[in-house]
Each structure stands twice: as C-alpha cells, then as structure tokens.
C-alpha cells in the first residue's frame, strides 16, 4: 500500500455499493436451525428431479473422464449439459406448476430466440456468466449442500476438486441415465454446439423434473429422500430428522380442513400443535417440538425486525436525527391504545396481560403477521404496538422439555435468543412500558451498528450500514430494511413432495397422494 | 487513498489519534487491527467528551481501556481535530484530515487529507508543531495518558524545523484565521456560518464558499452573503450527483496554498481560540493543483428554517462521562461519593458498588466494558474502565511480526472457515477437559497429566468474556518463531469476512428469486487470493517451518488429548494446503519456478505450497505421532489411515532413511488400520479404496495367514500352510533344482515382517516335488536377536534325497531390512554371498531343527 505523502487529496472511500443482509445479525441462526430440522433440503432445492440429474452429471463426467479430478474441467461439461436441460425444460408443458428450473430466465430467452432458426446455440448459452453466473449453475448455487447432506454426493474439497456421486448417487444417476439414454439428444446431440429445438423438446418430455413420478429415477430419488440405509450414526440422525419433517408436512395436509392452508397456517400449526383448531395428531411429537422452538424464535425475529424497520422509517421521516430524537418520535407515534395497559405502567403489567397468548400460541402468528404487514411509514405506530405486544407475549416462556429450551436458548445474547430476550424484558419489568420501548429501539439501533461494523472487510466493498452518521447532527437512512422471518420450508417441502409424487399440488394446497400416505406410514413406523 | 487510515502503513510503535465523533466498534474492528499490523502497541485516542458520552450511552467497547487509552476532551465548542500521528524507531508519520474515527468518516465520505513524514526534509516543522499540539492536549489528561504519550515520544527523531514546507495549524492559542499565510479565496466544508465566511471575505479581495446543496443547515446559516456563497452539486465523473457525502474541508488561496484539516467554515472553527470555540487542527501547504471535488453550480435551495447566525447545529441534551481506572482498586473520578456504579451485563445493568473516597470496592472479578451511574440531575454518566497494568504491560511488550503475517496471509475464505473449525475443536477439547476435571478418572497418575493438559488448554480462553481468544500456549511454546503461520491462521480464523455470513440468509430468503440469489452469490465466487511471489515464497518457507515444529510438538507433548488434537489439526492443515491456491502476477511467476495454470492473462494460479514439498513434513508428522503410542481409533485412526496411505503413495519422494522408517511403521500399524479403522471419506485426492489398496500389502505381511495366502498367490508354494507351534513355520511344496533357486528364500523374506514382530524364531519349509533334484526338503529359520549390529543368523537345512542326511549351514549378518532382497534369486545370491558357514552333515536332525521335524514329516506325507 503506498500513500501519497505531502500532497492534499480527497479520499475515495472504501464502499462501492450499499448492500447487506441480516442487519440485526439474528436471522442466520434460524436458517441454521432449519438445516438441522430438515437436513438435505435447502430453501432452493425444491425439485426432486435434480436429486437424480446432478448426481447423473457428476457420475457421467467421472465415467467419461475417470482420471480427471479438477472441478474446473467438470465445469465446462456441466454448463453445457445444464444449459440444454434448462432450455429443454423451459419449453416443456409441465404437469403442474413446476418451479425452480435452474437458469430458467436465460434459458427461456434462448428458447424464444431459437424459434426462427429452429436451433439453440447451447455452446454460447453455456459460456461463463450466461445462463447462470455461478460457475456450477444450479448445482453450485442451490443443490450442492443438500445433495451432500442427503448422501448422494461427496464434496471435493476446497475450490479445486470435483465432487463425486456416492453409491446412492450413482443409483439415482443410473435411473436418470436409463431415461436420457433413450433420447436423441443424448445419443446424437449431447456435445453439439447447436441443438434443434425439437430435440430439446423431446428431451424435456423424457427428463423434465415435473415428470419424476413413474420414471426410472423415481425409486432411487425416493430412496435418497426417505429410505433407511445402513450408514453412520450421523447419517441416521440426518435422515430421521428429514423424514420426520416430511412426515409432519404430510400429516398437516392430511389433517387440515379445506379452509386451512398456506404458510401462515403451517406456522400456526407448528407453534400451537393445532391444525385449524383441532389437535395435530402427530407421530413425531419430539420433532414437532423442535419445529415449535424454531417457529417461536422466528416469531421473535419477525417482531424485532419489525421494530427495527419502523425505527428506520421514523428516521427517514426525520431526515437527520440523533438516537434520542428517534426514540422520542417512536414513542410519540406509538399506538398506545393497542396495548392492554398504559404507557406509564410497569412493563410487568404488559407481560402479565399478554401472557394469555401463550394459551393460544397461534395468535402469536396473527400478531407477527399484523406487525409485519403494517410496518410502513403510514402505520408505524400500529406496527410498533403490535410488535411490542408480540414481544411481551413471547417473553412468557412456553413449556417444553430440556431440548426444547435448549433450542430456545440457542444463540445466547449474541444472537438475541428467545431465552435472552425474555430475560431482557423481565429485567425491565419495573420500568415503564414507554421507556422499555425506547430502550429496545436504542438497543436494536446499536446492535445494527455493531453487526454492520463487524461485516466491514478489507476485501468486501459493500456498505453494510442502514444508517450513516452525520457528525454531531445524528444519523440518516441510507438503506431501508424490512421485517423478516426465515421461511419454514413450507413452499420448498410442498414443491419437493409434489415433484416426487407424494402431494397432489405444489403450491401449499395439496393433499397426500396414495404414495404420500404410504410414505407417511413408512416414516411413522421407522422414523 | 481510500481512507485516511491508509496512512497507517509501515512499522511504528505508538499512535496518537484525535477525532470529534468516535465509533468504538469501528475502532475495535477496523482501526486497532491496522495499528497492530504495523506493530503499534501504545495507542491514545483523544475525542470529544460529549460525543464519547453519547457513544457510551449507546454501547461500549471491549478494547477501549485495555488495548488503548481513550481520552475525552471537554472543549468550549467541539473538540474537532482529526489527526493520526504514528511514531517509532523508523520515523514518524502524521495524517491531518477531516475524517472522524467512524465508518462514515473513514470509509464512506469524501474527506480531505494530507500525509506528512519525518523522512521528508520539509515536513519536520509541521511534525514538530503537531507533537507540541498533542503534548498540550495531554497536559490536562490523567497520568496514564500522559505516560503513554511520553512513552511514544522516546522514538521521536531530532527534527530540524525548516522554514519551508507545510505548517501545522491549531487554535489552542490563536484563531486559525489569524495564522493563514495570506488571503484565502475559496473554501468548502459541510458546515458554515455567515460570520466566518464574511470574515474570510473581508480579509481577502474575494472569497467564495462552495457549499453542497444537500447541506441545508450550512446554506441557511450562510444565506444572504451574496457572491460569497456558491451552492454547488458535487458530481461524479459522469456528471451525476455524487452518492457520497462530501465531508472534507479545505481553504484555497489564489497564491497556490491550501488548508486541509478539521475546520469548517464556521466561527467556532476559524475565528476563535479553543477557550472560546472549537479545538481545530489543519495543515497549510503549497498545492496549486489541489482543487475542490468536481461540482457544478446550482440554485440555492429554499430556506429550510430560521436559524440565528453563528448558531451551531442543535444538540440533544447529552449524557455525561466519568472516569474509571483499575489499578488495584477501581478508582473513580467525576462522580461524587455515594453514587452507585453499575456494570453492563448481557441483559441489563448490575450493581457494582458505591463510590467511597473515589474508590469502588470490588467484590469479585474486575469489571470490563462500560460502567454507568445515575447523576443527581437524573442523567446517566458513563465510563470506560481503563486497566492500567494491562495497558502498561501492553506498551512494554514488543509487537510480534505475527500481525504482519495475518495481513498478507494468502488464504481464501474457505480456508479461513476451515480454520475456524480448528478453533472450535480446541474449545470442544476445553469442554472435554472440564468434564474430566469434574469426573477425574479412577486410574492413578491421570491427575498430573490432566492438570498439565488443562492448564495448556486454558490459555486459549479469552482473558475476559467477549474478548477474542488468545494465542494458545499450545502452539506458542513450540512455535516461537516469527512469522508464525499457524498462529496467524488461527488469528485470521477469528476475523471471518461477513459475506460468508450472509450466504445463509440468501439461501433461506423465502422471497428471494433465483436471479437475485444467483447474482448475489455469483458475485462472491472468488478466485484464489492474489499475493506477490515474494510473499508466497516467504509463506512457503514459514509454513514448512511451522509444520516441522508441529511434528516436534507431537513428539514432546505430554498430554495424550493434546497430542491427538494437535495431530489432527496439523494434518487438516496439510489437507488444506494441498488444495490452497494463490494467484501471483504473471511477471513474478518465474520467481516461484513451479508449474502454474494460467487463469487470466495477468495472473497465474500456483499452489500456496508445492505438494511435493509437503511429502516429507507429512511423513515426519506421522512418524512423530506413530512413535508416541498412537490412538488408532476414531478420528485419529481415520486420519492416520488416509495420510499414511498418502505417505506410502509418495514414498518415492522420501529420503532413503525415511523410506525405511515409513515401511517399518506402516508394517506396525497397517493391519490394525485396515481391519479396524475406516479411512477418511471425503478427500478428493485419496479415496478410501485407494487408501486400502495402498496399506493392504503392508497389512498382509504382518498376518501369518495372509502370508500363507500370498505365498500361494505368488506361486511360490503349493498346498501352503502355517504351523504356529512352537513358532511360526510356513510350509508347502514347490519345484526347484538347487537351493539357491528354492522358493523357501522368498517365503522367508516375505515372512520377515510378521516374523520380526517378536523375538521368536520363524521358519520356512519347502518340500521339493522335483524328484530329480538333489534335495527333497529345504528349511530356513531365523532367530531374531534384536538390534544387533551384526545382524541375525539364518539357519539352513537341506535334506539330501539320496541318503536322508541333513546338510546344514548358517548365514550371518541378516537383517529384517534386507528381507525384500530375498524375494529375488539374484538378491539371495548377493545377500548371502560370503556370509555362509561351512556346510555340516547331520544324519539326524540337529537340535535347532528338532521342532521342525513334525511339520516336515507331515508335509512330506501330505494330507491323509
């Protein structure tokens, strides 16, 4: 590093753009919990077809190049094949609302542009940065950790070595190979730079992820997702958690009344153990308790991020302001009539009067949804009031066993665990409600500054702050935030179980199919 | 220059910084590591008292008061200078700027700055003036701050105040405006007041204030000045409004000089001395080419609100400060006796004690972080606890070059993440030891070992809750050299880049589109880090040295647990090194002289350490571990399996002694590994199958049944069998013409590995099915005699077909290491040539052959 000495200058600054996630540093823990609850399925691994297709590509490359270990070499082969797969699937009329075709945007555009010529320039589409920017496309971006967790692949370490299909992965690959080998694409066009549209359309008829049920890769994929195999203890645990999560969703769809559907109801069911008012009859009570702890935490995250979002809205309206001004403005705009107590009452009063929500935990989701929906400049006061009611309700610790409470305590004070936040509010039970509201806002504001500061990096030039300091004048907003809670894998699980044939609808309104019922029975018996 | 903090570069021992606003988290996270990398151990930060009070009302710092002195200054207006002054044996550097010690000031805003150095002849005057300014600031500070500044002064060079060059200005005695060398004609700043602009204009033929259109307060304050006020829009190179705030301040003269530093275009900054206004500092220097940031004139915005001329921006009623020093007792200044002092906890504040005679008695552990006390007027006052012994010790301790190692460590994020796991394991071990302590093993002698182990482990723990973990003695004791790579790796592991933390959130955002995630993650897909070839060479040397010390550590470690852990972690380090690449500029690649893959025209990718140079260190590590009663189960077993197999694979690259030792050790453990342990499953460069295939040949030679099977498989013997009583004898049939061609030699040679496992004799007996041959039975026996210099004796007995007489002979000087030479006839000739005794004839078997008679008889008679 060289510094110009003796000459005045203007600094260039370090940041290139304003961008960051998890502004309070509390959301990642929920994602980590989800990975424990349902190993082998990540938010974006929503299509069972890819659980056979990617192992097939790895296996096929290994067959063709047995001595090659470098990932960089695999990449070229991979991109060409996935580009073809994406274009083919983009032209396919699916059996339902198939989502999650990796690289679909560029593939659709390439398909649109190809109709005149009748061929698709796959070599060009597969070039770095085209159909997907990530070097290893949808595998590298979305499925890689899932396939490894589920035992279909073994990761090559670092950035250098190629991943390999495991024995299980090779079985899935074989199923897929049996299908694709019958296509003209595979026998004649698999390495061609340009491929006729018709060939790709035929390819999709055979291998599109919407058509896994009944195909020859169906059984191996079911085996990977559900079946028991003699492996390590760790694998048993991962498998047990995964299939129990599958089983819970199948139970939910089997037991819910018609009017109960969607992510919100799934959250309510997880938190309350009731489905549409009736008791959830589950074969997996222990696992459902773990999901309950997760949902409890996520509801807390929703409340805290709602408060922070409203704080930023308030500051945005103030222009430039110090924290004390922001706190005063928040308190002034707070919709006090929404609380079951007065603003000057002790916080203990609010804690007592909101504890009743623990008797009907699904109401906590109602509160969270309302707080998040009203987090807007025009309804800051309402949103804040609901969020505070929610936080007070959550501070009455729910009942559960040691494992449940261990999950609630996960993350400690560094990640604002439910246990920590309950203690935080209890410590302030003799303070007035309005002072606790102000103090919470201040604590979250400071927390954001700390979290963003910790993200500062010599090599990363993103500006992670939501606010910029204006010397002694205070702060101004440079980036908004919004309330957030980590997904409960509802959309993912629905789509995944639909592609594998266990549900009859991919969008959350499905019912278990015959296969779904039999899988549920199987999982209930050995899960 | 991205930030004035870029001036912190080089080698120094002390630093004094001044700032108006301060962000303590930023100081901890960004400033201190930079100072540390330059070797700075003695740090004083002066800041504005009210700003610090506001900052402390938000939150504290784990490092303020322990890693640096935090010295608030109460000014009539604002304590506003922004200086970075570095000193050390190699010289001094001064950066005078407009940037506060905040993320905004140092990383986001457009700030003005100038750097001066003692090595430049004409900078001496300004540096001397700055030194004097800092001494004056310290005059009314607590003694620990003055001590620290005096300590830094010991390295001050004897500078000569030249009459030329930059001049350092401050307003402790004289207003800045009176110290300007002539007429100022232009100026810009984010804050302005009419009185200052008017006075600048009055003293010159023409003065124009360039004010950012977004600085509404400043414009309103200066409104009505006519031509003296020019509202501008700062723009980027494409003419678009700059998205960064211009916070820099400067004055220009048509004579070619300019002023750069802290003063705004306000009365408190320019027109007053410190006792009536702000405290300010700046440098005036000739810089005819220095211009304001690119801007275009715009119409003034409408009046925002009515403000009194000269009024400073409104301040909220602030919190207060008090001082707390830990030097035995907790000494308090700035609080009346009887005040209750609280200490921050993770959830709230807890009562620490009552101030009595300026002291708070401490019931237990020393407080860290921030303290608070409620003042009689209801406000809260805050304090940072200064740990004086710690600060003094820190000042005395020389800086390790380790810090520099961290700076240039050519590791990718994955590598760092792996290393974080190393740290995690060490903590896990720590827990384990705690468990052991709670439930000590019943066996005697365990206590001492455990005490040793736990005391070593505890050195990892942070000194105080929330601190960074410390460098563990585990490594410090055996890695005393600098730069110490392993320590650096661990240190680096503690500072993971945040983008990795975001990955989860990207992945788990329900609303995220594929494209969003794609774009976001793809941006982070990184190439190997770029490093100078010289740096890579330095790292190669130090990494290999570190690995050698690792092997030494394994040898000397008294605790089994620590030995296992160290062994595992160093081998993981090996694995990572095998996959870690760096980029070096293509024009430097020749310096490294190794195979490289060109990924871009300007860089080449090379391994951080050449794989071939890791072969010998890995073997040394394995040897150290395997020599120390290894635990060949669990992770240690798996890791040993894989890496031993890798060592066998790379055997050809070892020196001759190492080859022999490798063989010996592999023979010792291969059977256990192959039968009872699974190799590591996840290494791309060594599959489990490959591991097994490499070690199985070793394992087979240590198991008598496998020896027999192999003798048959090789075609040396037919109907081969083994007798184990009274000692192992491999026997079978074969066809041979003379005793030198007899497969008994091969059988004996192949049996040596198993046979030398103890001191019992072992033998090979071959019944010759060649009825034309002179001998019908060939017996060979070895009696291992230990590590004799003379070697062992091989006894031979040949049963003459014609008369049933045993012809016996002995061969001396046989060693196990020579065993493989018996596997070839030419080797037999060479090995035995000249070592044999005279042949003796025995009508009845001699004594040594007696135990073999029964096997021989059964062999000749055949089954049934």
């Amino acid at each position: 590093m060289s510094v110009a000495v003796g000459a005045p200058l203007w600094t260039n600054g370090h940041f290139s753009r304003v961008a960051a996630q998890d502004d309070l540093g509390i959301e990642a823990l929920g994602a980590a919990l989800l990975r424990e609850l349902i190993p082998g399925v990540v938010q974006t691994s929503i299509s069972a077809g890819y659980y056979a297709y990617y192992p097939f590509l790895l296996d096929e490359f290994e067959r063709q190049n047995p001595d090659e270990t470098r990932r960089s070499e695999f990449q070229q082969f991979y991109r060409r094949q996935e580009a073809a797969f994406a274009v083919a699937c983009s032209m396919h009329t699916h059996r339902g609302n198939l989502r999650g075709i990796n690289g679909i945007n560029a593939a659709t555009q390439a398909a649109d542009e190809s109709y005149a010529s009748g061929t698709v320039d796959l070599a060009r589409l597969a070039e770095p940065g085209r159909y997907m920017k990530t070097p290893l496309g949808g595998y590298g971006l979305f499925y890689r950790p899932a396939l490894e967790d589920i035992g279909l692949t073994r990761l090559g370490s670092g950035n250098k070595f190629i991943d390999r299909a495991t024995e299980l992965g090779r079985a899935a690959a074989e199923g897929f190979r049996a299908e694709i080998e019958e296509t003209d694409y595979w026998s004649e066009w698999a390495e061609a730079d340009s491929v006729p549209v018709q060939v790709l359309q035929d390819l999709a008829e055979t291998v599109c992820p919407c058509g896994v049920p009944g195909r020859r890769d169906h059984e191996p994929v079911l085996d990977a997702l559900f079946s028991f195999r003699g492996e390590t203890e760790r694998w048993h645990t991962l498998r047990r958690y995964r299939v129990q999560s599958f089983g819970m969703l199948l139970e939910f769809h089997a037991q819910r009344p018609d009017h109960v559907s969607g992510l919100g109801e799934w959250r309510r069911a997880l938190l309350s153990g009731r489905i549409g008012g009736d008791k959830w009859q589950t074969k997996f009570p222990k696992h459902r308790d773990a999901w309950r702890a997760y949902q409890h935490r996520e509801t807390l995250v929703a409340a805290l991020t709602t408060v922070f979002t409203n704080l930023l809205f308030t500051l945005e309206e103030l222009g430039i302001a110090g924290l004390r001004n922001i706190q005063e403005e928040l308190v002034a705009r707070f919709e006090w009539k929404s609380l079951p107590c007065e603003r000057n009452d002790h916080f203990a009063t609010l804690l007592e009067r909101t504890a009743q929500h623990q008797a009907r935990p699904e109401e906590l989701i109602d509160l969270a949804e309302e707080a998040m929906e009203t987090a807007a400049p025009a309804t800051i006061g309402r949103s804040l009031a609901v969020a505070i009611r929610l936080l007070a309700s959550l501070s009455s610790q729910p009942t559960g066993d040691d494992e449940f409470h261990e999950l609630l305590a996960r993350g400690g004070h560094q990640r604002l665990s439910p246990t920590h936040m309950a203690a935080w509010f209890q410590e302030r039970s003799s303070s007035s409600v309005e002072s606790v509201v102000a103090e919470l806002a201040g604590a979250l504001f400071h927390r954001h500054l700390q979290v963003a500061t910790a993200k500062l990096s010599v090599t990363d030039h993103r500006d992670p702050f939501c606010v910029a300091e204006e010397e002694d004048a205070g702060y101004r907003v440079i980036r908004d935030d919004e309330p957030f809670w980590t997904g409960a894998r509802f959309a993912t699980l629905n789509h995944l179980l639909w592609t594998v044939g266990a549900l009859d609808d991919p969008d959350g309104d499905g019912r278990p199919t015959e296969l779904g019922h039999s899988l549920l029975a199987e999982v209930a018996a050995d899960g | 220059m991205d930030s004035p903090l870029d001036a912190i570069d080089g080698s120094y021992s002390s630093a004094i910084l001044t700032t108006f606003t301060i962000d303590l988290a930023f100081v901890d996270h960004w400033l201190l590591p930079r100072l540390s990398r330059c070797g700075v151990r003695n740090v004083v930060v002066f800041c504005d008292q009210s700003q610090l009070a506001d900052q402390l009302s938000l939150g504290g710092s784990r490092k303020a008061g322990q890693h640096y002195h935090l010295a608030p200054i109460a000014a009539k207006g604002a304590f506003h200078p922004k200086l970075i002054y570095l000193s050390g044996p190699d010289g001094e550097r001064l950066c005078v700027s407009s940037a506060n010690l905040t993320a905004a000031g140092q990383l986001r805003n457009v700030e003005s700055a100038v750097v001066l150095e003692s090595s430049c002849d004409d900078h001496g005057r300004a540096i001397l003036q700055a030194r004097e300014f800092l001494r004056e600031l310290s005059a009314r500070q607590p003694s620990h701050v003055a001590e620290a500044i005096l300590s830094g002064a010991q390295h001050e060079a004897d500078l000569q105040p030249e009459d030329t060059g930059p001049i350092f200005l401050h307003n402790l005695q004289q207003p800045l405006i009176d110290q300007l060398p002539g007429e100022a004609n232009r100026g810009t700043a984010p804050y302005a007041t009419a009185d200052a602009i008017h006075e600048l204009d009055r003293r010159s033929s023409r003065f124009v204030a360039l004010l950012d259109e977004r600085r509404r307060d400043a414009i309103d304050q200066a409104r009505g000045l006519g031509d003296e006020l020019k509202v501008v829009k700062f723009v980027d190179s494409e003419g678009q409004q700059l998205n960064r705030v211009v916070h820099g301040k400067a004055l220009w003269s048509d004579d070619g000089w300019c002023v750069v530093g802290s003063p705004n275009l306000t009365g408190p900054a320019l027109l007053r001395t410190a006792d009536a206004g702000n405290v300010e500092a700046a440098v005036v220097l000739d810089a005819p080419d220095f211009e304001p940031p690119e801007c275009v004139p715009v119409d003034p915005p409408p009046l925002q609100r009515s403000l009194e001329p000269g009024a400073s921006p409104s301040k909220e009623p602030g919190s207060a400060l008090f001082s707390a020093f830990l030097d035995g007792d907790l000494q308090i200044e700035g609080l009346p006796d009887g005040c209750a002092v609280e200490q921050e906890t993770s959830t709230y504040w807890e009562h620490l004690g009552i101030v009595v005679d300026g002291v708070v008695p401490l019931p237990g552990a020393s407080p860290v972080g921030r303290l608070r006390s409620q003042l009689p007027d209801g406000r809260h006052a805050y304090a940072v606890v200064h740990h004086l012994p710690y600060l003094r010790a820190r000042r005395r301790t020389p800086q390790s070059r380790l810090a520099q190692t961290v700076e240039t460590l050519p590791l990718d994020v994955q590598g760092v993440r792996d290393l974080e796991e190393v740290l995690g394991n060490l903590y896990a071990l720590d827990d384990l030891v705690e468990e052991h302590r709670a439930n000590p093993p019943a066996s005697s002698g365990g206590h001492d070992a455990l005490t040793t182990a736990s005391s070593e482990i505890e050195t990892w723990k942070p000194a105080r809750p929330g601190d960074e973990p410390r460098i563990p003695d585990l490594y410090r004791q055996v890695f005393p050299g600098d730069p110490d790579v392993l320590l650096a790796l661990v240190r680096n592991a503690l500072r993971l880049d945040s983008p990795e933390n975001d990955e989860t959130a990207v992945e788990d955002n329900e609303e995220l589109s594929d494209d969003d995630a794609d774009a976001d993650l793809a941006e982070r897909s990184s190439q190997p880090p770029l490093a100078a070839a010289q740096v890579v060479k330095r790292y190669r040397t130090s990494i290999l040295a570190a690995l050698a010390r690792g092997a030494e550590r394994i040898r000397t470690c008294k605790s089994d647990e620590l030995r296992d852990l160290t062994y595992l972690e160093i081998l993981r380090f090996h694995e990572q090194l095998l996959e870690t690449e760096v980029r070096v500029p293509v024009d430097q690649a020749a310096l490294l002289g190794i195979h490289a893959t060109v990924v871009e025209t300007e860089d080449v990718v090379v391994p951080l350490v050449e794989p071939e140079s890791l072969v010998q260190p890995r073997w040394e590590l394995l040897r150290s571990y395997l020599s120390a009663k290894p635990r060949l189960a669990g992770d240690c077993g798996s890791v040993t399996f894989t890496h031993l197999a890798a060592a066998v694979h790379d055997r050809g690259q070892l020196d001759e002694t190492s080859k022999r030792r490798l063989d010996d050790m592999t023979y010792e453990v291969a059977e256990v590994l192959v039968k009872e342990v699974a190799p590591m499953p996840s290494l791309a460069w060594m599959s489990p199958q490959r591991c097994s295939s490499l070690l199985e040949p070793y394992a087979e030679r240590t198991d008598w049944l496998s020896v027999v099977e192999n003798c048959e498989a090789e075609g040396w013997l037919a109907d081969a069998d083994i007798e184990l009583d009274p000692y192992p004898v491999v026997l079978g049939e074969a066809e041979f013409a003379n005793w030198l061609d007899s497969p008994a030699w091969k059988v004996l040679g192949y049996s040596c590995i198993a046979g030398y496992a103890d001191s019992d004799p072992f033998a090979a007996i071959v019944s010759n099915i060649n009825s034309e041959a002179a001998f019908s039975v060939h017996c060979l026996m070895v009696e291992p005699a230990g590590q004799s210099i003379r070697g062992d004796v091989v006894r031979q007995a040949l049963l003459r077909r014609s008369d049933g007489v045993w012809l016996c002979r002995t061969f001396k000087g046989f060693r196990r290491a020579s065993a493989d030479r018996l596997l070839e006839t030419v080797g037999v000739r060479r090995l035995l040539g000249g070592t044999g005794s005279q042949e003796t004839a025995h009508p009845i078997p001699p004594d040594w052959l007696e135990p073999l008679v029964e096997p021989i008889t059964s062999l000749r008679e055949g089954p049934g």
Side-chain angles (χ1 to χ4, degrees), chain A residues 1 3-15 17 20-21 28 31-32 34-35 42-44 100-102 105 132-135 141-142 154-161 322-325 413 420 423-424 427-428 431 439 442 445-446 449-450 453-460 462-463 465 467-473 475-476 478 484 486-491, chain B residues 1-2 4 6-7 9 20-21 25-26 29-30 51 58-59 80 82 93 100 102-104 107-115 117 120 123 188 191 215 244-245 247-248 252 258 260 285 287 290-293 315-319 346-348 412 497-499 502 504-510 514-515 517-525 578-579 581 681-682 684-685:
Chain A
M1 189 189 316
V3 174
V5 174
L9 48 80
W10 300 102
T11 58
N12 300 318
H14 174 73
F15 299 131
R17 65 187 174 101
Q21 290 173 335
L34 267 184
R35 279 199 296 279
V42 296
Q43 180 63 30
T44 46
I101 295 171
N102 296 324
N105 293 346
M132 283 182 87
K133 290 175 190 163
T134 318
L141 190 59
F142 299 133
R154 193 178 61 243
L155 301 188
S157 28
N159 293 320
K160 189 173 177 183
F161 293 104
L323 176 59
R324 202 163 294 119
N325 281 351
H413 68 92
H420 165 78
W424 195 93
E427 292 270 21
R428 286 154 180 79
S431 301
E439 200 176 343
F445 186 78
H446 181 239
L449 296 178
Q450 283 189 310
T453 301
K455 290 178 181 173
L456 293 175
S457 155
V458 175
T459 53
D460 185 352
R462 288 178 295 175
D463 185 344
F465 291 89
V467 296
E469 192 185 6
E470 288 286 320
E471 213 159 47
D472 64 339
Y475 299 88
R476 65 186 168 88
I478 57 173
F484 184 96
T486 304
R489 290 283 189 273
F490 186 68
Chain B
M1 177 187 263
D2 289 343
D6 291 350
D9 183 30
F20 173 51
T21 53
F26 177 78
H29 178 78
W30 192 271
Q51 293 296 313
L58 263 180
H80 203 239
K82 299 101 169 48
R93 178 175 276 190
N100 291 306
T102 62
L107 305 181
R108 186 183 299 118
N109 297 342
V110 178
E111 304 278 0
S112 54
V114 62
V115 177
E117 272 191 349
C120 297
H123 292 179
T188 190
Y191 301 96
R215 294 288 178 175
R244 299 165 59 209
V245 166
H247 182 258
W252 289 268
C258 69
V260 169
L285 73 170
F290 182 54
E291 289 290 328
K315 282 188 178 179
E316 300 161 356
S319 307
S346 64
T347 53
Y348 206 47
D412 59 12
D497 280 349
S498 54
D502 287 351
T504 305
V506 170
E507 174 206 306
D508 285 289
N509 187 341
E510 289 266 358
D514 291 358
D515 274 358
D518 191 7
D520 208 346
L521 285 187
E523 192 169 295
R524 291 179 223 144
S525 64
L578 283 169
E579 297 162 5
E581 293 176 326
S682 60
W685 46 269

